[in-house]
């Protein structure tokens, strides 16, 4: 992908990855979802290192047990690095849509956390809280919070509603350097393409780089 869509060294990727835990079958085999096997593998770590991208989210955010808390922290990481993000990605298109829907619902709380430099109390996972405090929310940033809040308010204004709908084009507005969205967009995921085109307002290419089948 980096050959087709060149990236600058140090560019960031906002990658919505979630990793479940392994279980053990009665026969002693390790069992888990395909994404769990992928994310916990050495091959995945090597691919991440060779990609040319730096992930917005620390590894503990990806490995968190609670997907909702992990999703919130992914978004927070992505907003704090908004002007460095060149790609938004998730294994499946549905996950990207769900992330942007979560942003619609939680933008005020996200801005509050950025402004104060502290996670809100809805994030209860102690590992997540410690990781975010150490690596992401190191200080209050009211200027950035105000900028994001103003953009989110503009996306829900009367003018936005009259010009096509609230949150249309949010990807380009909040992540101005984003060059493409990367996910599985075919098969069962094709139904989410229209929503992603709405969120990008047609200004960011959608790239389906993988094919998966059960």
């Amino acid at each position: 992908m980096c050959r087709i869509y060149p990236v600058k060294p140090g560019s960031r990727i906002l990658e919505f990855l979630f990793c479940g835990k392994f279980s053990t079958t009665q026969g002693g085999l390790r069992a888990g979802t395909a994404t769990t096997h992928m994310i916990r593998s050495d091959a995945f770590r090597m691919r991440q290192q060779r990609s040319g991208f730096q992930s917005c989210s620390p590894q503990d955010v990806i490995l968190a047990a609670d997907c909702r808390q992990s999703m919130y922290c992914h978004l927070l990481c992505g907003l704090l690095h908004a002007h460095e993000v060149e790609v938004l990605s998730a294994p499946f298109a549905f996950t990207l849509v769900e992330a942007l829907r979560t942003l619609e619902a939680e933008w005020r709380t996200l801005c509050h956390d950025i402004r104060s430099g502290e996670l809100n109390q809805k994030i209860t996972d102690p590992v997540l809280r410690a990781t975010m405090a150490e690596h992401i929310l190191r200080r209050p940033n009211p200027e950035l919070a105000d900028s994001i809040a103003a953009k989110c308010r503009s996306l829900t204004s009367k003018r936005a509603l009259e010009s096509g709908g609230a949150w249309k084009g949010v990807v380009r507005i909040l992540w101005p350097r984003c060059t493409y969205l990367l996910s599985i967009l075919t098969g069962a995921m094709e139904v989410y393409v229209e929503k992603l085109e709405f969120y990008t307002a047609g200004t960011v290419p959608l790239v389906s780089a993988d094919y998966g089948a059960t």
Side-chain angles (χ1 to χ4, degrees):
M1 288 309 304
C2 291
R3 292 196 300 272
I4 302 170
Y5 292 91
V7 296
K8 296 177 181 178
S11 298
R12 289 190 181 268
I13 181 170
L14 174 50
E15 204 166 17
F16 295 97
L17 294 175
F18 306 91
C19 187
K21 294 182 179 180
F22 288 121
S23 59
T24 304
T25 67
Q26 291 183 348
L29 296 175
R30 190 170 63 171
T33 65
T35 50
T36 297
H37 280 277
M38 176 188 74
I39 293 168
R40 292 184 181 273
S41 69
D42 291 336
F44 178 76
R45 284 190 288 273
M46 290 176 64
R47 191 199 79 174
Q48 295 295 84
Q49 291 170 4
R50 293 197 302 263
S51 70
F53 286 116
Q54 183 177 352
S55 178
C56 289
S57 303
Q59 189 74 357
D60 285 336
V61 173
I62 297 170
L63 300 178
D66 189 313
C67 288
R68 290 186 180 276
Q69 293 188 45
S70 178
M71 175 73 83
Y72 183 92
C73 290
H74 276 309
L75 284 168
L76 190 55
C77 293
L79 290 173
L80 284 162
H81 296 293
H83 288 281
E84 302 168 67
V85 171
E86 291 206 8
V87 178
L88 267 65
S89 176
F92 302 104
F94 165 77
T95 308
L96 279 175
V97 171
E98 189 63 18
L100 294 167
R101 285 175 176 165
T102 301
L103 175 63
E104 288 187 49
E106 297 287 351
W107 68 269
R108 292 179 180 83
T109 309
L110 288 159
C111 288
H112 174 272
D113 289 358
I114 294 170
R115 183 176 290 108
S116 66
E118 294 182 5
L119 271 178
N120 67 86
Q121 294 305 310
K122 289 191 292 186
I123 307 302
T124 58
D125 185 312
V127 175
L128 274 179
R129 294 192 69 85
T131 296
M132 293 297 287
E134 181 179 353
H135 299 289
I136 304 299
L137 284 172
R138 295 178 175 175
R139 60 180 178 82
N141 195 336
E143 183 178 350
L144 177 61
D146 290 345
S147 173
I148 294 169
K151 291 174 181 177
C152 290
R153 279 193 293 269
S154 74
L155 288 162
T156 58
S157 66
K158 182 180 178 180
R159 182 178 178 181
L161 292 170
E162 292 172 347
S163 64
W167 297 96
K168 184 177 181 179
V170 59
V171 172
R172 177 66 74 197
I173 290 169
L174 290 184
W175 293 283
R177 288 182 57 187
C178 183
T179 55
Y180 59 97
L181 268 62
L182 179 66
S183 190
I184 292 176
L185 301 163
T186 56
M189 294 297 112
E190 191 173 355
V191 297
Y192 300 104
V193 169
E194 184 178 354
K195 191 64 176 178
L196 289 175
E197 288 176 339
F198 172 82
Y199 281 132
T200 63
T203 63
V204 181
L206 307 182
V207 178
S208 189
D210 297 302
Y211 176 84
T214 54

